[in-house]
Amino acid sequence: MAAGRGAGLLRPPTSSGRATFLELFFDLAFVVALTRVSQRFAGLGEDTGWTLVLGFGRTLLLFLALWLIWSHTAWITSRYEPEQPVIQAVVVGTMFAGLIMAVTLPRAMEERALPFAAAYLMVMVVRPLVIAAALRGHPRRLVPFRLAVWASASAPLWLAGALGPDDLRLPLWVAAVAVDYVAWALGWPLPWLGASKVARWRIAGTHLADRYQQMFLIALGESILVIGVVFSGTDYAADRATAFAVAFATSALLWRIYFHCAGLLLTDALDRVAMPARLGTALERTHLLLVLSVLVTAVGYELVIDDPFGRPRPNWLPFVVGGPMLFLVSRVRLEYEIFGRVSRSQPIGLVALLLCTPALAHWAPMVGLSVVAGVLALVALVDAWWRRGRPMEAPGSPTGGEKPDVGDSEA
Protein backbone atom coordinates (compact mmCIF):
# COMPACT_ATOMS: atom_id res chain seq x y z
CA MET A 1 0.00 0.00 0.00
CA ALA A 2 2.82 2.37 0.93
CA ALA A 3 4.60 1.53 -2.29
CA GLY A 4 1.40 2.35 -4.14
CA ARG A 5 1.18 5.77 -2.52
CA GLY A 6 4.81 6.45 -3.31
CA ALA A 7 4.35 5.25 -6.89
CA GLY A 8 1.96 8.15 -7.46
CA LEU A 9 5.00 10.44 -7.47
CA LEU A 10 6.58 8.69 -10.46
CA ARG A 11 6.13 9.92 -14.02
CA PRO A 12 3.38 7.87 -15.70
CA PRO A 13 3.81 6.87 -19.36
CA THR A 14 0.99 9.28 -20.27
CA SER A 15 2.78 12.29 -18.76
CA SER A 16 3.74 15.04 -21.20
CA GLY A 17 7.38 14.88 -22.17
CA ARG A 18 7.67 18.65 -22.47
CA ALA A 19 8.97 20.96 -19.79
CA THR A 20 6.30 22.57 -17.65
CA PHE A 21 5.77 26.28 -17.09
CA LEU A 22 7.02 25.77 -13.53
CA GLU A 23 10.36 24.52 -14.85
CA LEU A 24 10.64 27.50 -17.20
CA PHE A 25 9.89 29.72 -14.20
CA PHE A 26 12.60 27.85 -12.29
CA ASP A 27 15.09 28.65 -15.04
CA LEU A 28 14.72 32.37 -14.35
CA ALA A 29 16.86 31.99 -11.24
CA PHE A 30 19.58 30.45 -13.36
CA VAL A 31 19.41 33.28 -15.86
CA VAL A 32 20.49 35.51 -12.96
CA ALA A 33 23.09 32.96 -11.87
CA LEU A 34 24.68 32.64 -15.32
CA THR A 35 24.82 36.42 -15.61
CA ARG A 36 26.73 36.56 -12.33
CA VAL A 37 29.11 33.85 -13.54
CA SER A 38 29.83 35.90 -16.67
CA GLN A 39 30.43 38.99 -14.53
CA ARG A 40 32.98 37.13 -12.44
CA PHE A 41 34.72 35.90 -15.58
CA ALA A 42 34.66 39.41 -17.05
CA GLY A 43 36.37 40.74 -13.95
CA LEU A 44 39.43 38.70 -14.93
CA GLY A 45 39.98 40.70 -18.13
CA GLU A 46 42.86 42.67 -16.65
CA ASP A 47 44.50 39.75 -14.83
CA THR A 48 47.52 37.85 -16.09
CA GLY A 49 49.50 34.74 -15.24
CA TRP A 50 48.68 32.87 -12.05
CA THR A 51 46.15 35.51 -10.99
CA LEU A 52 44.13 34.81 -14.14
CA VAL A 53 44.33 31.04 -13.66
CA LEU A 54 43.31 31.28 -10.01
CA GLY A 55 40.41 33.61 -10.75
CA PHE A 56 39.21 31.42 -13.58
CA GLY A 57 39.38 28.35 -11.33
CA ARG A 58 37.34 30.02 -8.58
CA THR A 59 34.61 31.06 -10.99
CA LEU A 60 34.59 27.64 -12.63
CA LEU A 61 34.13 26.05 -9.21
CA LEU A 62 31.05 28.20 -8.52
CA PHE A 63 29.66 27.39 -11.96
CA LEU A 64 30.08 23.65 -11.32
CA ALA A 65 28.11 23.96 -8.08
CA LEU A 66 25.31 25.78 -9.89
CA TRP A 67 25.33 23.25 -12.71
CA LEU A 68 24.97 20.37 -10.26
CA ILE A 69 21.88 22.00 -8.75
CA TRP A 70 20.30 22.62 -12.16
CA SER A 71 21.11 19.22 -13.65
CA HIS A 72 19.87 17.31 -10.58
CA THR A 73 16.61 19.25 -10.84
CA ALA A 74 16.29 18.38 -14.54
CA TRP A 75 16.73 14.69 -13.74
CA ILE A 76 14.22 14.88 -10.87
CA THR A 77 11.52 16.32 -13.13
CA SER A 78 12.39 13.72 -15.77
CA ARG A 79 11.79 10.90 -13.28
CA TYR A 80 8.94 12.26 -11.17
CA GLU A 81 5.64 13.83 -12.17
CA PRO A 82 6.14 17.65 -12.19
CA GLU A 83 2.43 18.22 -11.59
CA GLN A 84 2.59 16.56 -8.17
CA PRO A 85 2.47 19.16 -5.34
CA VAL A 86 5.54 17.66 -3.65
CA ILE A 87 7.65 17.95 -6.78
CA GLN A 88 6.37 21.47 -7.42
CA ALA A 89 7.34 22.45 -3.88
CA VAL A 90 10.77 20.91 -4.42
CA VAL A 91 11.28 22.86 -7.65
CA VAL A 92 10.17 26.19 -6.13
CA GLY A 93 12.38 25.61 -3.08
CA THR A 94 15.32 24.81 -5.33
CA MET A 95 14.62 27.97 -7.32
CA PHE A 96 14.80 30.08 -4.16
CA ALA A 97 18.06 28.45 -3.12
CA GLY A 98 19.43 28.96 -6.64
CA LEU A 99 18.50 32.62 -6.46
CA ILE A 100 20.37 32.95 -3.15
CA MET A 101 23.41 31.33 -4.78
CA ALA A 102 23.07 33.73 -7.72
CA VAL A 103 22.95 36.92 -5.65
CA THR A 104 25.83 35.81 -3.42
CA LEU A 105 27.94 34.48 -6.30
CA PRO A 106 29.88 37.69 -7.11
CA ARG A 107 31.42 37.54 -3.60
CA ALA A 108 30.89 33.84 -2.88
CA MET A 109 34.63 33.23 -2.59
CA GLU A 110 34.91 36.17 -0.21
CA GLU A 111 32.55 37.47 2.51
CA ARG A 112 29.38 35.80 1.13
CA ALA A 113 30.74 32.27 1.21
CA LEU A 114 28.46 31.07 4.03
CA PRO A 115 25.06 31.92 2.43
CA PHE A 116 26.26 30.45 -0.87
CA ALA A 117 27.31 27.18 0.79
CA ALA A 118 24.20 27.07 3.00
CA ALA A 119 21.86 27.46 0.00
CA TYR A 120 23.75 24.78 -1.89
CA LEU A 121 23.57 22.34 1.03
CA MET A 122 19.86 23.00 1.58
CA VAL A 123 19.24 21.69 -1.91
CA MET A 124 21.72 18.84 -1.86
CA VAL A 125 20.82 17.49 1.60
CA VAL A 126 17.22 18.49 2.33
CA ARG A 127 15.69 18.05 -1.13
CA PRO A 128 16.46 14.32 -1.49
CA LEU A 129 15.17 13.68 2.02
CA VAL A 130 11.85 15.32 1.11
CA ILE A 131 11.58 13.17 -2.01
CA ALA A 132 12.52 10.02 -0.08
CA ALA A 133 9.81 10.77 2.50
CA ALA A 134 7.24 11.36 -0.25
CA LEU A 135 8.10 8.03 -1.88
CA ARG A 136 7.36 6.26 1.42
CA GLY A 137 7.70 2.51 0.96
CA HIS A 138 8.52 2.56 -2.75
CA PRO A 139 11.86 0.87 -3.65
CA ARG A 140 13.00 4.03 -5.45
CA ARG A 141 13.15 5.91 -2.13
CA LEU A 142 16.65 4.49 -1.61
CA VAL A 143 17.96 6.60 -4.51
CA PRO A 144 17.35 10.03 -2.91
CA PHE A 145 18.43 8.57 0.43
CA ARG A 146 21.83 7.79 -1.11
CA LEU A 147 22.06 11.34 -2.46
CA ALA A 148 21.37 12.81 0.99
CA VAL A 149 24.01 10.62 2.66
CA TRP A 150 26.72 11.57 0.16
CA ALA A 151 25.77 15.25 0.28
CA SER A 152 26.02 15.09 4.07
CA ALA A 153 29.51 13.63 3.66
CA SER A 154 30.66 16.61 1.59
CA ALA A 155 28.81 19.17 3.75
CA PRO A 156 31.64 19.52 6.32
CA LEU A 157 34.00 20.50 3.50
CA TRP A 158 31.57 23.17 2.26
CA LEU A 159 31.01 24.56 5.75
CA ALA A 160 34.70 24.45 6.71
CA GLY A 161 35.53 26.31 3.52
CA ALA A 162 32.87 28.94 4.21
CA LEU A 163 33.75 29.47 7.88
CA GLY A 164 37.49 28.84 7.80
CA PRO A 165 40.42 30.94 6.60
CA ASP A 166 40.09 32.49 3.14
CA ASP A 167 43.20 30.76 1.81
CA LEU A 168 41.69 27.32 2.57
CA ARG A 169 38.33 28.01 0.95
CA LEU A 170 39.31 27.12 -2.58
CA PRO A 171 40.99 23.75 -1.82
CA LEU A 172 38.20 22.72 0.56
CA TRP A 173 35.48 23.60 -1.92
CA VAL A 174 37.35 21.90 -4.75
CA ALA A 175 37.39 18.74 -2.64
CA ALA A 176 33.68 19.15 -1.85
CA VAL A 177 32.68 19.57 -5.50
CA ALA A 178 34.88 16.62 -6.44
CA VAL A 179 33.08 14.44 -3.86
CA ASP A 180 29.66 15.47 -5.19
CA TYR A 181 30.57 14.84 -8.83
CA VAL A 182 32.37 11.55 -8.16
CA ALA A 183 29.41 10.36 -6.08
CA TRP A 184 27.09 11.09 -8.99
CA ALA A 185 29.37 9.26 -11.42
CA LEU A 186 29.56 6.21 -9.13
CA GLY A 187 25.85 6.12 -8.33
CA TRP A 188 26.19 7.19 -4.67
CA PRO A 189 27.30 3.73 -3.40
CA LEU A 190 26.56 2.83 0.23
CA PRO A 191 27.46 -0.25 2.29
CA TRP A 192 24.85 -3.02 2.01
CA LEU A 193 22.76 -0.94 -0.40
CA GLY A 194 25.23 -0.79 -3.27
CA ALA A 195 25.01 1.89 -5.96
CA SER A 196 22.23 3.29 -8.11
CA LYS A 197 23.87 3.90 -11.47
CA VAL A 198 22.29 6.89 -13.17
CA ALA A 199 22.67 5.15 -16.52
CA ARG A 200 20.08 2.58 -15.38
CA TRP A 201 17.42 5.05 -14.27
CA ARG A 202 14.05 5.23 -15.97
CA ILE A 203 13.55 8.75 -17.30
CA ALA A 204 11.41 10.71 -19.73
CA GLY A 205 13.93 11.16 -22.53
CA THR A 206 11.89 13.80 -24.36
CA HIS A 207 11.77 15.91 -21.22
CA LEU A 208 15.50 15.65 -20.57
CA ALA A 209 16.27 16.63 -24.18
CA ASP A 210 13.98 19.64 -23.78
CA ARG A 211 15.78 20.74 -20.64
CA TYR A 212 19.25 20.54 -22.21
CA GLN A 213 18.17 22.48 -25.27
CA GLN A 214 16.53 25.11 -23.07
CA MET A 215 19.60 25.54 -20.90
CA PHE A 216 21.78 26.03 -23.97
CA LEU A 217 19.35 28.68 -25.21
CA ILE A 218 19.43 30.35 -21.79
CA ALA A 219 23.22 30.55 -22.04
CA LEU A 220 22.91 32.03 -25.53
CA GLY A 221 20.33 34.48 -24.21
CA GLU A 222 22.79 35.55 -21.53
CA SER A 223 25.38 36.23 -24.25
CA ILE A 224 22.86 38.39 -26.12
CA LEU A 225 22.15 40.24 -22.88
CA VAL A 226 25.86 40.92 -22.47
CA ILE A 227 26.09 42.28 -26.02
CA GLY A 228 23.16 44.62 -25.53
CA VAL A 229 24.10 45.86 -22.06
CA VAL A 230 27.74 46.53 -22.89
CA PHE A 231 27.00 48.31 -26.16
CA SER A 232 24.20 50.42 -24.66
CA GLY A 233 26.57 51.56 -21.92
CA THR A 234 29.32 52.81 -24.23
CA ASP A 235 29.72 55.57 -26.79
CA TYR A 236 28.06 54.75 -30.11
CA ALA A 237 31.28 54.85 -32.08
CA ALA A 238 31.66 53.02 -35.40
CA ASP A 239 34.25 50.57 -34.08
CA ARG A 240 32.06 49.58 -31.13
CA ALA A 241 29.05 49.22 -33.43
CA THR A 242 31.09 46.89 -35.61
CA ALA A 243 32.15 44.84 -32.59
CA PHE A 244 28.51 44.70 -31.49
CA ALA A 245 27.45 43.33 -34.89
CA VAL A 246 30.26 40.75 -35.03
CA ALA A 247 29.48 39.57 -31.49
CA PHE A 248 25.82 39.09 -32.38
CA ALA A 249 26.78 37.20 -35.53
CA THR A 250 29.03 34.94 -33.46
CA SER A 251 26.18 34.05 -31.07
CA ALA A 252 23.89 33.38 -34.06
CA LEU A 253 26.54 31.03 -35.47
CA LEU A 254 26.85 29.20 -32.16
CA TRP A 255 23.08 28.67 -32.24
CA ARG A 256 23.21 27.45 -35.84
CA ILE A 257 26.08 25.04 -35.32
CA TYR A 258 24.57 23.57 -32.14
CA PHE A 259 21.09 22.95 -33.54
CA HIS A 260 22.16 21.90 -37.03
CA CYS A 261 21.19 18.20 -36.97
CA ALA A 262 22.78 17.08 -33.68
CA GLY A 263 21.25 19.52 -31.21
CA LEU A 264 17.93 19.34 -33.03
CA LEU A 265 17.74 15.55 -32.72
CA LEU A 266 18.31 15.11 -28.98
CA THR A 267 14.74 13.92 -28.47
CA ASP A 268 14.89 11.38 -31.31
CA ALA A 269 18.25 10.09 -30.11
CA LEU A 270 16.98 9.55 -26.55
CA ASP A 271 13.81 7.87 -27.86
CA ARG A 272 15.75 5.41 -30.02
CA VAL A 273 18.19 4.02 -27.46
CA ALA A 274 17.36 1.17 -25.11
CA MET A 275 18.83 2.97 -22.10
CA PRO A 276 18.07 6.67 -22.48
CA ALA A 277 19.52 7.51 -19.06
CA ARG A 278 22.94 6.33 -20.23
CA LEU A 279 22.84 8.68 -23.19
CA GLY A 280 21.32 11.38 -20.99
CA THR A 281 24.29 11.12 -18.62
CA ALA A 282 26.73 11.66 -21.48
CA LEU A 283 24.67 14.56 -22.81
CA GLU A 284 24.69 16.18 -19.35
CA ARG A 285 28.48 16.37 -19.37
CA THR A 286 28.53 17.63 -22.94
CA HIS A 287 26.03 20.38 -22.19
CA LEU A 288 28.00 21.43 -19.14
CA LEU A 289 30.90 22.15 -21.53
CA LEU A 290 28.62 23.77 -24.13
CA VAL A 291 27.04 26.16 -21.61
CA LEU A 292 30.44 26.99 -20.12
CA SER A 293 31.82 27.70 -23.59
CA VAL A 294 29.01 30.17 -24.33
CA LEU A 295 29.55 31.97 -21.01
CA VAL A 296 33.28 32.30 -21.64
CA THR A 297 32.64 33.50 -25.20
CA ALA A 298 30.22 36.14 -23.88
CA VAL A 299 33.01 37.54 -21.71
CA GLY A 300 35.04 37.93 -24.90
CA TYR A 301 32.19 39.97 -26.39
CA GLU A 302 32.28 42.34 -23.42
CA LEU A 303 36.02 42.83 -23.63
CA VAL A 304 35.96 43.48 -27.38
CA ILE A 305 32.95 45.82 -27.46
CA ASP A 306 34.40 47.85 -24.61
CA ASP A 307 37.71 48.44 -26.44
CA PRO A 308 37.67 46.94 -29.98
CA PHE A 309 41.03 48.25 -31.16
CA GLY A 310 42.88 48.53 -27.88
CA ARG A 311 46.39 47.29 -27.46
CA PRO A 312 46.89 43.52 -27.86
CA ARG A 313 46.37 41.63 -24.61
CA PRO A 314 47.12 37.90 -24.68
CA ASN A 315 45.12 37.42 -21.47
CA TRP A 316 41.96 38.09 -23.51
CA LEU A 317 42.58 35.08 -25.76
CA PRO A 318 41.06 32.52 -23.32
CA PHE A 319 37.76 34.37 -23.68
CA VAL A 320 37.78 35.68 -27.25
CA VAL A 321 39.23 32.49 -28.81
CA GLY A 322 39.21 29.92 -26.01
CA GLY A 323 35.43 30.01 -25.54
CA PRO A 324 34.66 29.23 -29.21
CA MET A 325 37.34 26.52 -29.21
CA LEU A 326 35.71 24.86 -26.21
CA PHE A 327 32.38 25.12 -28.01
CA LEU A 328 33.71 23.29 -31.06
CA VAL A 329 35.25 20.56 -28.89
CA SER A 330 31.91 20.12 -27.11
CA ARG A 331 30.01 20.14 -30.39
CA VAL A 332 32.24 17.38 -31.76
CA ARG A 333 31.42 15.33 -28.67
CA LEU A 334 27.69 16.03 -29.07
CA GLU A 335 27.71 14.91 -32.71
CA TYR A 336 29.42 11.65 -31.79
CA GLU A 337 26.89 11.00 -29.02
CA ILE A 338 23.98 11.54 -31.39
CA PHE A 339 25.27 9.93 -34.61
CA GLY A 340 28.27 7.84 -33.62
CA ARG A 341 30.49 9.76 -36.04
CA VAL A 342 32.03 13.22 -36.41
CA SER A 343 31.84 15.48 -39.45
CA ARG A 344 35.03 17.16 -40.63
CA SER A 345 33.91 20.78 -40.40
CA GLN A 346 34.17 21.23 -36.62
CA PRO A 347 37.62 19.62 -36.18
CA ILE A 348 38.86 21.70 -39.12
CA GLY A 349 37.46 24.85 -37.48
CA LEU A 350 39.12 23.90 -34.20
CA VAL A 351 42.49 23.38 -35.87
CA ALA A 352 42.13 26.70 -37.70
CA LEU A 353 41.57 28.54 -34.42
CA LEU A 354 44.52 26.76 -32.81
CA LEU A 355 46.81 27.79 -35.66
CA CYS A 356 45.59 31.39 -35.56
CA THR A 357 45.87 31.86 -31.79
CA PRO A 358 49.63 32.69 -31.60
CA ALA A 359 49.23 35.40 -34.24
CA LEU A 360 46.07 36.81 -32.67
CA ALA A 361 48.00 37.50 -29.47
CA HIS A 362 49.70 40.36 -31.34
CA TRP A 363 46.53 41.87 -32.83
CA ALA A 364 43.71 44.01 -31.47
CA PRO A 365 40.80 42.15 -29.82
CA MET A 366 38.49 43.05 -32.71
CA VAL A 367 40.71 41.09 -35.09
CA GLY A 368 40.47 38.03 -32.86
CA LEU A 369 36.68 38.18 -32.64
CA SER A 370 36.42 38.68 -36.42
CA VAL A 371 38.62 35.65 -37.09
CA VAL A 372 36.50 33.57 -34.69
CA ALA A 373 33.30 34.68 -36.45
CA GLY A 374 34.85 33.87 -39.83
CA VAL A 375 35.89 30.37 -38.76
CA LEU A 376 32.47 29.64 -37.25
CA ALA A 377 30.79 30.91 -40.42
CA LEU A 378 32.97 28.55 -42.45
CA VAL A 379 31.99 25.63 -40.22
CA ALA A 380 28.29 26.47 -40.59
CA LEU A 381 28.57 26.88 -44.37
CA VAL A 382 30.41 23.58 -44.82
CA ASP A 383 27.80 21.79 -42.71
CA ALA A 384 24.97 23.34 -44.76
CA TRP A 385 26.67 22.49 -48.06
CA TRP A 386 27.29 18.89 -47.02
CA ARG A 387 23.63 18.47 -45.98
CA ARG A 388 22.20 20.21 -49.05
CA GLY A 389 19.67 18.03 -50.84
CA ARG A 390 20.09 15.14 -48.40
CA PRO A 391 17.35 13.80 -46.13
CA MET A 392 17.67 14.36 -42.41
CA GLU A 393 20.02 11.74 -40.95
CA ALA A 394 18.50 9.46 -38.32
CA PRO A 395 20.27 9.34 -34.94
CA GLY A 396 22.48 6.34 -34.35
CA SER A 397 23.93 6.88 -30.91
CA PRO A 398 26.61 4.43 -29.77
CA THR A 399 25.63 5.24 -26.18
CA GLY A 400 22.70 3.57 -24.47
CA GLY A 401 22.17 0.83 -27.04
CA GLU A 402 22.43 -2.14 -24.69
CA LYS A 403 19.35 -3.84 -23.28
CA PRO A 404 18.43 -2.62 -19.80
CA ASP A 405 18.72 -4.85 -16.78
CA VAL A 406 15.11 -5.73 -16.02
CA GLY A 407 16.08 -6.83 -12.53
CA ASP A 408 17.00 -3.32 -11.46
CA SER A 409 14.07 -2.49 -9.14
CA GLU A 410 15.43 0.92 -8.17
CA ALA A 411 15.57 2.29 -11.68
Side-chain angles (χ1 to χ4, degrees), residues 14 16 28 48 61 85 92-93 110 123 170 198 205 232 245 272 281 345 384 409:
T14 56
S16 172
L28 296 178
T48 57
L61 172 70
V92 172
E110 292 80 24
V123 176
L170 181 60
V198 178
S232 65
R272 286 173 178 267
T281 303
S345 59
S409 61

Side-chain angles (χ1 to χ4, degrees), residues 126-410:
V126 176
R127 180 173 67 179
L129 291 176
V130 171
I131 295 175
L135 286 169
R136 298 181 179 93
H138 195 278
R140 194 181 282 187
R141 76 190 186 284
L142 295 177
V143 177
F145 175 73
R146 287 186 178 92
L147 271 69
V149 171
W150 272 91
S152 299
S154 68
L157 294 171
W158 284 104
L159 294 175
L163 298 171
D166 291 349
D167 57 347
L168 291 180
R169 183 164 300 135
L170 181 60
L172 286 171
W173 281 10
V174 167
V177 167
V179 169
D180 291 339
Y181 272 89
V182 169
W184 190 5
L186 297 178
W188 303 277
L190 292 177
W192 299 290
L193 293 179
S196 176
K197 293 288 188 181
V198 178
R200 295 181 179 273
W201 287 3
R202 297 190 185 101
I203 62 167
T206 300
H207 177 270
L208 199 60
D210 242 18
R211 299 301 286 137
Y212 289 149
Q213 291 168 336
Q214 287 161 3
M215 179 49 71
F216 180 77
L217 285 174
I218 287 171
L220 276 181
E222 195 281 331
S223 74
I224 298 297
L225 179 64
V226 167
I227 294 170
V229 169
V230 174
F231 184 55
S232 65
T234 61
D235 297 331
Y236 290 95
D239 56 348
R240 290 192 173 99
T242 303
F244 169 79
V246 174
F248 174 78
T250 303
S251 282
L253 288 165
L254 295 180
W255 165 82
R256 166 66 180 177
I257 294 170
Y258 170 82
F259 277 105
H260 184 68
C261 297
L264 190 65
L265 295 177
L266 292 188
T267 299
D268 289 347
L270 284 164
D271 286 344
R272 286 173 178 267
V273 295
M275 297 182 69
R278 179 176 294 177
L279 176 57
T281 303
L283 291 173
E284 181 273 330
R285 298 174 188 135
T286 301
H287 281 78
L288 184 157
L289 296 175
L290 285 164
V291 170
L292 179 62
S293 71
V294 174
L295 294 180
V296 173
T297 303
V299 176
Y301 299 159
E302 182 171 351
L303 297 174
V304 176
I305 295 173
D306 188 56
D307 191 11
F309 292 98
R311 62 183 179 84
R313 296 181 182 179
N315 55 311
W316 288 11
L317 290 177
F319 304 107
V320 177
V321 184
M325 287 174 62
L326 178 59
F327 172 80
L328 289 175
V329 170
S330 309
R331 182 56 177 75
V332 167
R333 176 183 166 112
L334 177 66
E335 186 158 332
Y336 179 78
E337 289 165 351
I338 299 300
F339 297 112
R341 53 98 185 136
V342 175
S343 60
R344 297 178 182 178
S345 59
Q346 288 125 39
I348 290 174
L350 181 61
V351 171
L353 288 179
L354 281 171
L355 295 176
C356 291
T357 298
L360 293 177
H362 304 287
W363 288 85
M366 183 64 196
V367 176
L369 184 60
S370 300
V371 169
V372 165
V375 170
L376 292 177
L378 181 63
V379 170
L381 287 171
V382 170
D383 282 343
W385 178 82
W386 189 76
R387 292 284 178 189
R388 185 182 59 179
R390 300 187 182 188
M392 179 69 75
E393 182 179 0
S397 176
T399 307
E402 298 178 6
K403 293 293 183 182
D405 182 0
V406 297
D408 186 0
S409 61
E410 278 194 15

Side-chain angles (χ1 to χ4, degrees), residues 11-32:
R11 257 189 184 269
T14 56
S15 177
S16 172
R18 297 301 176 185
T20 63
F21 290 118
L22 175 62
E23 292 169 276
L24 299 178
F25 178 56
F26 164 79
D27 285 342
L28 296 178
F30 283 83
V31 172
V32 179

